[in-house]
Coordinates of all heavy atoms in Angstrom, one line a residue:
M29 N 120.7 134.6 112.2 CA 122.0 134.7 112.8 C 122.3 136.1 113.3 O 122.1 137.1 112.5 CB 123.1 134.2 111.8 CG 124.5 134.3 112.4 SD 125.7 133.7 111.2 CE 125.4 132.0 111.2
K30 N 122.6 136.3 114.5 CA 122.8 137.6 115.2 C 123.8 138.5 114.5 O 123.5 139.6 114.2 CB 123.2 137.3 116.6 CG 123.4 138.6 117.4 CD 123.7 138.2 118.8 CE 124.9 139.1 119.3 NZ 125.3 138.7 120.6
N31 N 125.0 137.9 114.1 CA 126.0 138.7 113.5 C 126.2 138.5 112.0 O 127.2 138.6 111.5 CB 127.3 138.5 114.2 CG 127.3 138.9 115.6 OD1 126.8 140.0 115.9 ND2 127.9 138.2 116.5
E32 N 125.1 138.1 111.4 CA 125.2 137.8 110.0 C 125.8 138.9 109.1 O 126.7 138.6 108.3 CB 123.8 137.5 109.4 CG 123.8 137.0 108.0 CD 122.4 136.5 107.5 OE1 121.6 136.2 108.4 OE2 122.2 136.5 106.3
S33 N 125.5 140.1 109.3 CA 126.0 141.2 108.5 C 127.5 141.3 108.8 O 128.3 141.6 107.9 CB 125.3 142.5 108.8 OG 125.5 142.9 110.1
A34 N 128.0 141.1 110.0 CA 129.4 141.2 110.3 C 130.2 140.0 109.6 O 131.2 140.2 109.1 CB 129.6 141.1 111.8
Y35 N 129.6 138.8 109.6 CA 130.2 137.7 108.9 C 130.3 137.9 107.4 O 131.3 137.6 106.8 CB 129.4 136.4 109.2 CG 129.6 135.9 110.6 CD1 128.5 135.7 111.4 CD2 130.8 135.6 111.1 CE1 128.6 135.3 112.7 CE2 131.0 135.1 112.4 CZ 129.9 135.0 113.2 OH 130.0 134.5 114.5
S36 N 129.3 138.6 106.9 CA 129.3 138.8 105.4 C 130.3 139.8 105.0 O 130.7 139.9 103.8 CB 127.9 139.2 104.9 OG 127.5 140.4 105.4
R37 N 130.7 140.6 105.9 CA 131.7 141.7 105.7 C 133.2 141.2 106.1 O 134.1 142.1 106.0 CB 131.4 143.0 106.4 CG 130.1 143.6 105.8 CD 129.9 145.0 106.3 NE 130.1 145.2 107.8 CZ 129.1 145.1 108.6 NH1 127.8 144.9 108.2 NH2 129.3 145.2 109.9
A38 N 133.3 140.0 106.5 CA 134.6 139.6 107.0 C 135.7 139.6 105.8 O 135.3 139.5 104.7 CB 134.5 138.1 107.5
I39 N 136.9 139.9 106.2 CA 138.0 139.9 105.3 C 138.9 138.7 105.7 O 139.1 138.5 106.9 CB 138.8 141.3 105.4 CG1 137.8 142.4 105.0 CG2 140.0 141.2 104.6 CD1 138.3 143.8 105.4
F40 N 139.5 138.1 104.7 CA 140.3 136.9 105.0 C 141.7 137.2 104.4 O 141.9 137.7 103.3 CB 139.7 135.7 104.3 CG 138.4 135.3 104.9 CD1 137.2 135.7 104.4 CD2 138.4 134.6 106.1 CE1 136.0 135.4 105.0 CE2 137.2 134.2 106.7 CZ 136.0 134.7 106.1
E41 N 142.7 136.8 105.3 CA 144.1 137.0 104.9 C 144.8 135.6 104.9 O 144.6 134.8 105.8 CB 144.8 137.8 105.9 CG 144.3 139.2 106.0 CD 145.0 140.0 107.2 OE1 145.5 139.4 108.1 OE2 145.0 141.2 107.1
T42 N 145.5 135.3 103.8 CA 146.2 134.1 103.7 C 147.4 134.3 102.7 O 147.4 135.2 101.9 CB 145.3 132.9 103.2 OG1 146.0 131.7 103.2 CG2 144.7 133.2 101.8
E43 N 148.4 133.4 102.9 CA 149.5 133.4 101.9 C 149.2 132.4 100.8 O 150.0 132.4 99.8 CB 150.8 133.1 102.6 CG 151.2 134.2 103.6 CD 152.6 133.9 104.3 OE1 153.3 133.0 103.8 OE2 152.9 134.6 105.2
Q44 N 148.2 131.7 100.9 CA 147.8 130.7 99.8 C 147.5 131.4 98.5 O 146.8 132.5 98.5 CB 146.5 129.9 100.3 CG 146.1 128.8 99.4 CD 147.0 127.6 99.5 OE1 147.8 127.5 100.5 NE2 146.8 126.6 98.7
V45 N 148.1 131.0 97.4 CA 147.9 131.7 96.1 C 146.9 130.9 95.2 O 146.4 131.5 94.3 CB 149.2 131.9 95.4 CG1 150.1 132.9 96.2 CG2 150.0 130.6 95.2
S46 N 146.7 129.6 95.4 CA 145.7 128.9 94.6 C 144.8 128.1 95.6 O 145.3 127.7 96.7 CB 146.4 128.0 93.6 OG 147.1 127.0 94.3
F47 N 143.6 127.9 95.2 CA 142.6 127.3 96.1 C 141.9 126.2 95.3 O 141.7 126.2 94.1 CB 141.6 128.4 96.5 CG 142.2 129.5 97.2 CD1 142.5 130.7 96.5 CD2 142.4 129.5 98.5 CE1 143.1 131.8 97.1 CE2 142.9 130.6 99.2 CZ 143.3 131.7 98.5
P48 N 141.6 125.1 96.1 CA 140.8 124.1 95.5 C 139.4 124.6 95.1 O 139.0 125.6 95.6 CB 140.7 123.0 96.6 CG 140.9 123.7 97.9 CD 141.8 124.9 97.5
E49 N 138.8 123.9 94.2 CA 137.5 124.3 93.7 C 136.5 124.4 94.8 O 135.6 125.3 94.8 CB 137.0 123.3 92.6 CG 135.8 123.8 91.9 CD 135.4 122.9 90.7 OE1 136.3 122.6 89.9 OE2 134.3 122.5 90.6
E50 N 136.5 123.5 95.7 CA 135.6 123.5 96.9 C 136.4 123.5 98.2 O 137.3 122.6 98.3 CB 134.7 122.2 96.8 CG 133.7 122.1 97.9 CD 132.8 120.9 97.8 OE1 133.3 119.8 97.4 OE2 131.6 121.1 98.1
F51 N 136.2 124.5 99.0 CA 136.9 124.5 100.3 C 136.1 125.2 101.3 O 135.1 125.9 101.0 CB 138.3 125.1 100.2 CG 138.3 126.6 100.0 CD1 138.5 127.5 101.0 CD2 138.2 127.2 98.7 CE1 138.5 128.9 100.9 CE2 138.3 128.5 98.5 CZ 138.4 129.4 99.6
A52 N 136.5 125.0 102.6 CA 135.8 125.6 103.7 C 136.8 126.3 104.6 O 138.0 126.0 104.6 CB 135.0 124.6 104.5
I53 N 136.4 127.3 105.4 CA 137.2 127.9 106.4 C 136.7 127.5 107.7 O 135.5 127.7 108.0 CB 137.2 129.4 106.2 CG1 137.8 129.8 104.8 CG2 138.0 130.1 107.3 CD1 137.6 131.2 104.4
I54 N 137.5 127.0 108.6 CA 137.1 126.5 109.9 C 138.0 127.1 110.9 O 139.2 127.1 110.8 CB 137.2 124.9 109.9 CG1 136.4 124.3 108.8 CG2 136.7 124.4 111.3 CD1 136.6 122.8 108.6
T55 N 137.4 127.4 112.0 CA 138.2 128.0 113.2 C 137.8 127.2 114.4 O 136.7 126.8 114.5 CB 138.0 129.5 113.3 OG1 138.9 129.9 114.4 CG2 136.6 129.8 113.6
A56 N 138.7 127.1 115.4 CA 138.4 126.5 116.7 C 138.4 127.6 117.8 O 138.3 127.3 118.9 CB 139.4 125.4 117.0
Y57 N 138.6 128.8 117.4 CA 138.7 129.9 118.4 C 137.3 130.1 119.0 O 136.3 130.1 118.4 CB 139.1 131.2 117.7 CG 140.6 131.4 117.7 CD1 141.4 130.3 117.2 CD2 141.2 132.5 118.2 CE1 142.8 130.5 117.2 CE2 142.6 132.7 118.2 CZ 143.4 131.7 117.7 OH 144.8 131.8 117.6
N58 N 137.3 130.3 120.3 CA 136.1 130.6 121.1 C 134.9 129.8 120.8 O 133.8 130.3 120.4 CB 135.8 132.1 121.0 CG 136.9 133.0 121.5 OD1 137.5 132.7 122.5 ND2 137.2 134.1 120.7
P59 N 135.0 128.4 120.9 CA 133.9 127.6 120.5 C 132.7 127.9 121.4 O 132.8 128.2 122.5 CB 134.5 126.2 120.8 CG 135.6 126.3 121.7 CD 136.1 127.7 121.5
N60 N 131.5 127.8 120.7 CA 130.2 128.0 121.4 C 130.1 129.4 122.0 O 129.4 129.6 123.0 CB 130.0 126.9 122.4 CG 129.9 125.5 121.8 OD1 129.3 125.3 120.8 ND2 130.6 124.6 122.4
G61 N 130.9 130.3 121.5 CA 130.9 131.7 122.0 C 131.5 131.9 123.3 O 131.4 132.9 124.0
I62 N 132.3 130.8 123.8 CA 133.0 130.9 125.1 C 134.3 131.5 124.9 O 135.1 131.0 124.1 CB 133.1 129.5 125.7 CG1 131.7 128.9 125.9 CG2 133.9 129.6 127.0 CD1 131.7 127.4 126.3
G63 N 134.6 132.6 125.5 CA 135.9 133.3 125.4 C 137.0 132.4 126.0 O 136.8 131.8 127.1
H64 N 138.1 132.4 125.4 CA 139.3 131.7 125.9 C 140.5 132.6 125.9 O 140.5 133.6 125.2 CB 139.6 130.5 125.0 CG 138.7 129.3 125.2 ND1 138.8 128.4 126.2 CD2 137.6 129.0 124.5 CE1 137.8 127.5 126.0 NE2 137.0 127.9 125.0
T65 N 141.5 132.2 126.6 CA 142.8 133.0 126.6 C 143.4 132.8 125.2 O 143.0 131.9 124.5 CB 143.8 132.5 127.6 OG1 144.1 131.1 127.3 CG2 143.2 132.6 129.0
V66 N 144.4 133.6 124.9 CA 145.1 133.5 123.6 C 145.7 132.1 123.5 O 145.6 131.4 122.5 CB 146.2 134.6 123.5 CG1 147.1 134.3 122.3 CG2 145.6 135.9 123.3
E67 N 146.3 131.7 124.7 CA 147.0 130.3 124.7 C 145.9 129.2 124.5 O 146.2 128.2 123.8 CB 147.7 130.1 126.0 CG 148.9 131.1 126.2 CD 148.5 132.5 126.7 OE1 147.3 132.7 127.1 OE2 149.4 133.3 126.7
G68 N 144.8 129.4 125.1 CA 143.7 128.4 125.0 C 143.2 128.3 123.5 O 143.0 127.2 123.0
N69 N 143.0 129.4 122.9 CA 142.6 129.4 121.5 C 143.7 128.8 120.6 O 143.3 128.1 119.7 CB 142.2 130.8 121.0 CG 140.8 131.2 121.5 OD1 139.9 130.4 121.4 ND2 140.7 132.5 121.9
E70 N 144.9 129.1 120.8 CA 146.0 128.6 120.0 C 146.1 127.1 120.2 O 146.3 126.3 119.2 CB 147.3 129.2 120.4 CG 147.4 130.7 119.9 CD 148.7 131.4 120.4 OE1 149.4 130.9 121.3 OE2 148.9 132.5 119.9
A71 N 145.8 126.6 121.4 CA 145.8 125.1 121.6 C 144.7 124.5 120.9 O 144.8 123.4 120.3 CB 145.7 124.8 123.1
L72 N 143.5 125.1 120.9 CA 142.3 124.6 120.2 C 142.6 124.6 118.7 O 142.2 123.6 118.0 CB 141.1 125.4 120.5 CG 140.5 125.2 121.9 CD1 139.5 126.3 122.2 CD2 139.9 123.8 122.0
N73 N 143.3 125.6 118.2 CA 143.6 125.7 116.7 C 144.5 124.5 116.3 O 144.4 123.9 115.3 CB 144.2 127.0 116.4 CG 144.0 127.4 115.0 OD1 143.0 127.1 114.3 ND2 145.0 128.1 114.4
R74 N 145.5 124.2 117.2 CA 146.4 123.1 116.9 C 145.6 121.8 117.0 O 145.9 120.9 116.1 CB 147.6 123.1 118.0 CG 148.6 124.2 117.7 CD 149.8 124.0 118.6 NE 149.5 124.0 120.0 CZ 149.5 125.0 120.8 NH1 149.7 126.2 120.3 NH2 149.2 124.9 122.1
L75 N 144.7 121.6 117.9 CA 143.9 120.4 117.9 C 143.0 120.3 116.6 O 142.9 119.2 116.1 CB 142.9 120.4 119.1 CG 143.6 120.2 120.5 CD1 142.5 120.4 121.6 CD2 144.1 118.7 120.5
L76 N 142.5 121.4 116.1 CA 141.7 121.3 114.9 C 142.6 120.9 113.8 O 142.2 120.0 113.0 CB 141.1 122.7 114.6 CG 140.4 122.8 113.3 CD1 139.3 121.8 113.1 CD2 139.9 124.3 113.1
K77 N 143.8 121.4 113.7 CA 144.8 121.0 112.6 C 145.1 119.5 112.7 O 145.1 118.8 111.7 CB 146.1 121.8 112.7 CG 147.0 121.5 111.6 CD 148.3 122.3 111.7 CE 149.3 121.9 110.6 NZ 150.5 122.7 110.7
R78 N 145.3 119.0 113.9 CA 145.6 117.6 114.1 C 144.3 116.7 113.7 O 144.5 115.7 113.0 CB 145.9 117.3 115.5 CG 147.4 117.5 115.8 CD 147.7 116.9 117.2 NE 147.2 117.8 118.2 CZ 147.9 118.4 119.1 NH1 149.2 118.4 119.1 NH2 147.3 119.2 120.0
E79 N 143.2 117.2 114.0 CA 141.9 116.5 113.6 C 141.8 116.4 112.1 O 141.4 115.4 111.5 CB 140.7 117.1 114.3 CG 139.4 116.4 114.0 CD 139.4 114.9 114.6 OE1 140.1 114.7 115.6 OE2 138.7 114.1 114.0
I80 N 142.1 117.6 111.4 CA 142.0 117.6 110.0 C 143.0 116.6 109.4 O 142.6 115.8 108.5 CB 142.3 119.0 109.4 CG1 141.2 120.0 109.8 CG2 142.5 119.0 107.9 CD1 141.5 121.4 109.6
Y81 N 144.2 116.5 109.9 CA 145.2 115.6 109.4 C 144.7 114.1 109.7 O 144.9 113.2 108.9 CB 146.6 115.8 109.9 CG 147.3 116.9 109.1 CD1 147.7 118.1 109.7 CD2 147.7 116.6 107.8 CE1 148.4 119.0 108.9 CE2 148.4 117.5 107.1 CZ 148.7 118.7 107.6 OH 149.4 119.7 106.9
H82 N 144.2 113.9 110.9 CA 143.7 112.6 111.2 C 142.6 112.1 110.3 O 142.7 111.0 109.9 CB 143.2 112.6 112.7 CG 142.6 111.3 113.1 ND1 143.3 110.2 113.4 CD2 141.3 111.0 113.3 CE1 142.5 109.2 113.7 NE2 141.3 109.7 113.7
R83 N 141.7 112.9 110.0 CA 140.6 112.6 109.2 C 140.9 112.4 107.7 O 140.4 111.7 107.0 CB 139.4 113.5 109.3 CG 138.7 113.4 110.6 CD 137.7 114.5 110.7 NE 136.9 114.4 111.9 CZ 135.6 114.3 112.0 NH1 134.9 114.5 110.9 NH2 135.0 114.2 113.1
H84 N 141.8 113.3 107.2 CA 142.1 113.4 105.8 C 143.5 112.8 105.5 O 143.9 112.9 104.3 CB 142.0 114.8 105.3 CG 140.6 115.3 105.4 ND1 139.7 115.0 104.4 CD2 140.0 116.0 106.4 CE1 138.5 115.6 104.8 NE2 138.7 116.2 105.9
H85 N 144.3 112.4 106.5 CA 145.6 111.7 106.2 C 146.5 112.6 105.4 O 147.1 112.1 104.5 CB 145.4 110.3 105.6 CG 144.5 109.5 106.4 ND1 144.8 108.9 107.6 CD2 143.2 109.1 106.2 CE1 143.8 108.2 108.1 NE2 142.8 108.3 107.3
S86 N 146.4 113.9 105.6 CA 147.3 114.8 104.8 C 147.0 114.8 103.3 O 147.8 115.3 102.5 CB 148.8 114.5 105.1 OG 149.0 114.5 106.4
N87 N 145.9 114.3 102.9 CA 145.6 114.2 101.5 C 144.7 115.3 101.0 O 144.0 115.2 100.0 CB 144.9 112.9 101.1 CG 145.8 111.7 101.3 OD1 147.0 111.8 101.1 ND2 145.3 110.6 101.6
C88 N 144.7 116.4 101.7 CA 143.8 117.5 101.4 C 144.6 118.8 101.3 O 145.7 118.9 101.8 CB 142.7 117.7 102.4 SG 143.3 118.2 104.0
C89 N 144.1 119.8 100.6 CA 144.7 121.1 100.6 C 144.3 121.7 101.9 O 143.2 121.9 102.3 CB 144.1 121.9 99.4 SG 144.7 123.6 99.4
L90 N 145.4 122.1 102.7 CA 145.2 122.7 104.0 C 146.0 124.0 104.0 O 147.2 123.9 103.7 CB 145.6 121.8 105.1 CG 145.5 122.3 106.5 CD1 144.0 122.6 106.9 CD2 146.1 121.3 107.5
F91 N 145.5 125.1 104.4 CA 146.2 126.3 104.5 C 145.7 127.2 105.6 O 144.6 127.2 106.0 CB 146.2 127.1 103.2 CG 144.8 127.3 102.6 CD1 144.2 128.6 102.9 CD2 144.1 126.4 101.9 CE1 142.9 128.8 102.4 CE2 142.8 126.6 101.4 CZ 142.2 127.8 101.7
E92 N 146.7 128.0 106.2 CA 146.3 128.9 107.2 C 145.6 130.1 106.6 O 145.9 130.6 105.6 CB 147.6 129.4 107.9 CG 148.3 128.3 108.7 CD 149.5 128.8 109.5 OE1 149.3 129.6 110.4 OE2 150.6 128.5 109.1
I93 N 144.6 130.5 107.3 CA 143.8 131.7 106.9 C 143.3 132.4 108.1 O 142.9 131.8 109.1 CB 142.7 131.3 105.9 CG1 142.0 132.5 105.3 CG2 141.7 130.4 106.6 CD1 141.2 132.2 104.1
T94 N 143.3 133.7 108.1 CA 142.8 134.5 109.2 C 141.6 135.4 108.8 O 141.7 136.1 107.8 CB 143.9 135.4 109.8 OG1 145.0 134.6 110.3 CG2 143.4 136.3 111.0
G95 N 140.5 135.2 109.5 CA 139.4 136.1 109.2 C 139.4 137.3 110.1 O 139.9 137.2 111.3
K96 N 139.0 138.4 109.6 CA 139.0 139.6 110.5 C 137.9 140.5 110.2 O 137.3 140.4 109.1 CB 140.4 140.3 110.4 CG 140.6 141.0 109.0 CD 141.9 141.7 109.1 CE 142.1 142.6 107.8 NZ 143.3 143.5 107.9
S97 N 137.5 141.3 111.1 CA 136.4 142.2 110.9 C 136.8 143.3 109.9 O 138.0 143.5 109.7 CB 136.0 142.9 112.2 OG 137.1 143.6 112.8
A98 N 135.9 143.9 109.3 CA 136.2 144.9 108.3 C 137.0 146.1 108.8 O 137.9 146.6 108.2 CB 134.9 145.4 107.7
C99 N 136.8 146.4 110.1 CA 137.5 147.5 110.8 C 138.9 147.0 111.3 O 139.7 147.8 111.7 CB 136.7 148.1 111.8 SG 136.4 147.1 113.3
G100 N 139.1 145.7 111.3 CA 140.4 145.1 111.8 C 140.5 145.0 113.3 O 141.5 144.6 113.9
S101 N 139.4 145.2 114.0 CA 139.4 145.1 115.5 C 139.4 143.7 116.0 O 139.7 143.4 117.2 CB 138.3 145.9 116.1 OG 137.0 145.4 115.8
H102 N 139.0 142.7 115.2 CA 138.9 141.3 115.6 C 139.6 140.5 114.5 O 139.3 140.6 113.3 CB 137.4 140.9 115.7 CG 137.3 139.5 116.0 ND1 137.5 138.9 117.3 CD2 137.0 138.4 115.3 CE1 137.3 137.6 117.3 NE2 137.0 137.3 116.0
K103 N 140.5 139.6 115.0 CA 141.1 138.6 114.1 C 141.0 137.2 114.7 O 141.1 137.1 115.9 CB 142.6 139.0 113.9 CG 142.9 140.2 113.1 CD 144.4 140.4 112.9 CE 144.6 141.6 112.0 NZ 146.0 141.7 111.7
E104 N 140.7 136.3 113.8 CA 140.5 134.9 114.2 C 141.2 133.9 113.2 O 140.7 133.7 112.2 CB 139.1 134.6 114.3 CG 138.8 133.4 115.1 CD 137.3 133.3 115.5 OE1 136.8 134.2 116.1 OE2 136.7 132.3 115.2
P105 N 142.4 133.4 113.6 CA 143.1 132.4 112.8 C 142.3 131.1 112.6 O 141.5 130.8 113.5 CB 144.4 132.2 113.5 CG 144.6 133.3 114.4 CD 143.2 133.7 114.8
G106 N 142.4 130.5 111.5 CA 141.8 129.2 111.3 C 142.4 128.5 110.1 O 143.6 128.8 109.8
W107 N 141.7 127.6 109.5 CA 142.3 126.7 108.5 C 141.3 126.7 107.3 O 140.1 126.6 107.4 CB 142.4 125.3 109.0 CG 143.4 125.3 110.1 CD1 143.1 125.2 111.5 CD2 144.8 125.4 110.1 NE1 144.2 125.3 112.2 CE2 145.3 125.3 111.4 CE3 145.7 125.4 109.0 CZ2 146.7 125.4 111.7 CZ3 147.1 125.5 109.3 CH2 147.5 125.5 110.6
G108 N 141.9 126.8 106.1 CA 141.2 126.6 104.9 C 141.5 125.1 104.5 O 142.6 124.7 104.6
I109 N 140.4 124.4 104.2 CA 140.6 123.0 103.9 C 139.7 122.6 102.7 O 138.6 123.0 102.6 CB 140.2 122.1 105.1 CG1 140.3 120.6 104.8 CG2 138.9 122.5 105.7 CD1 140.1 119.7 105.9
G110 N 140.4 121.9 101.8 CA 139.7 121.4 100.6 C 138.8 120.2 101.0 O 139.3 119.1 101.3
C111 N 137.5 120.4 101.2 CA 136.6 119.4 101.6 C 135.2 119.8 101.2 O 134.9 120.9 100.8 CB 136.7 119.2 103.1 SG 136.1 120.5 104.1
S112 N 134.3 118.9 101.4 CA 132.8 119.2 101.1 C 132.2 120.0 102.3 O 132.8 120.0 103.4 CB 132.1 117.9 101.0 OG 132.0 117.2 102.2
L113 N 131.1 120.5 102.0 CA 130.4 121.3 103.1 C 130.1 120.3 104.3 O 130.2 120.7 105.4 CB 129.1 121.9 102.5 CG 128.2 122.6 103.5 CD1 129.0 123.8 104.2 CD2 127.0 123.2 102.8
G114 N 129.6 119.1 104.0 CA 129.3 118.2 105.0 C 130.5 117.9 105.9 O 130.4 117.8 107.2
E115 N 131.7 117.7 105.3 CA 132.9 117.4 106.1 C 133.2 118.6 106.9 O 133.7 118.5 108.1 CB 134.0 117.1 105.1 CG 133.9 115.7 104.4 CD 134.9 115.5 103.4 OE1 135.1 116.4 102.5 OE2 135.6 114.5 103.4
A116 N 133.1 119.8 106.4 CA 133.4 121.0 107.1 C 132.5 121.2 108.3 O 132.9 121.5 109.4 CB 133.3 122.2 106.2
I117 N 131.2 120.9 108.1 CA 130.2 121.0 109.2 C 130.6 120.0 110.3 O 130.6 120.3 111.5 CB 128.8 120.8 108.7 CG1 128.4 122.0 107.9 CG2 127.8 120.6 109.9 CD1 127.1 121.9 107.1
D118 N 131.0 118.8 109.9 CA 131.4 117.8 110.9 C 132.6 118.2 111.7 O 132.6 118.1 112.9 CB 131.7 116.4 110.2 CG 130.5 115.7 109.8 OD1 129.3 116.1 110.2 OD2 130.6 114.8 109.0
L119 N 133.6 118.7 111.0 CA 134.8 119.2 111.7 C 134.5 120.4 112.6 O 134.9 120.4 113.8 CB 135.9 119.6 110.7 CG 136.7 118.5 110.1 CD1 137.5 119.1 108.9 CD2 137.7 118.0 111.1
G120 N 133.8 121.4 112.1 CA 133.4 122.6 112.9 C 132.6 122.2 114.1 O 132.7 122.8 115.1
G121 N 131.8 121.2 114.0 CA 131.0 120.7 115.1 C 131.8 120.2 116.3 O 131.3 120.1 117.4
L122 N 133.0 119.8 116.0 CA 133.8 119.3 117.1 C 134.3 120.4 118.0 O 134.8 120.2 119.1 CB 135.1 118.5 116.5 CG 134.7 117.3 115.7 CD1 136.0 116.8 115.1 CD2 134.1 116.2 116.6
F123 N 134.3 121.6 117.5 CA 134.8 122.8 118.2 C 133.7 123.8 118.4 O 133.9 124.9 118.8 CB 136.0 123.4 117.5 CG 137.1 122.4 117.4 CD1 137.3 121.5 116.4 CD2 138.1 122.4 118.4 CE1 138.3 120.6 116.3 CE2 139.1 121.5 118.4 CZ 139.3 120.6 117.3

């Protein structure tokens, strides 16, 4: 992975105070490395949230979480979701 070291140094911000035993962090920003406008990324993030609710019928732990670079120059909102790795890969693959 090209940016593996950057990903391993990511910092996550959330107001969530407790977490499920198993969860994933998923983002819909800039899918496939394609840059989008702020509005485009926000629309994709809303679509991801709807897809999570559609698949899990609101029966999962879902919380907002933002990943950012260690230096703070890049921020990317996403969702923390209580789910298996397989479910997370399926959801992430949609975006």
